[in-house]
Amino acid sequence: MDHAWVRADRLLVPRGGFLGENWATISADGEFRCDETDVWQRCHRSISPLIGGRLDLSTANIAAARAGAAGLIDFSR
């Protein structure tokens, strides 16, 4: 899975749309505020919701490869 940098001008993201909506916020004056002071713990806490999606993507890729191999075997007969 690649990690890409996405840039969008004039895109409105609601405060609840950030990964850490309950523990990391952007204040009304645009300042980042976070309850987690340790950078490593903040990183782990912010990416933990994404881990399930990564597992789903890899499972889907394996299923697609399995289906492709099964189709190839059936077609070659």
Side-chain angles (χ1 to χ4, degrees), residues 20 22-25 32-48:
N22 296 330
W23 53 273
T25 60
F32 176 71
R33 295 191 181 149
C34 183
D35 296 341
E36 188 64 61
T37 57
D38 182 26
V39 175
W40 294 105
Q41 288 297 324
R42 185 186 312 159
C43 179
H44 176 69
R45 197 170 175 184
S46 64
I47 66 169
S48 61

Side-chain angles (χ1 to χ4, degrees), residues 1-75:
M1 173 185 228
D2 66 347
H3 299 279
W5 178 264
V6 178
R7 181 178 175 190
D9 294 332
R10 296 181 298 277
L11 176 68
L12 175 66
V13 177
R15 289 177 196 220
F18 292 101
L19 287 175
E21 70 177 288
N22 296 330
W23 53 273
T25 60
I26 305 293
S27 67
D29 59 349
E31 182 182 348
F32 176 71
R33 295 191 181 149
C34 183
D35 296 341
E36 188 64 61
T37 57
D38 182 26
V39 175
W40 294 105
Q41 288 297 324
R42 185 186 312 159
C43 179
H44 176 69
R45 197 170 175 184
S46 64
I47 66 169
S48 61
L50 303 176
I51 292 173
R54 287 179 156 216
L55 292 174
D56 291 342
L57 285 173
S58 61
T59 302
N61 282 335
I62 291 170
R66 188 181 313 127
L72 180 64
I73 291 169
D74 288 345
F75 180 74

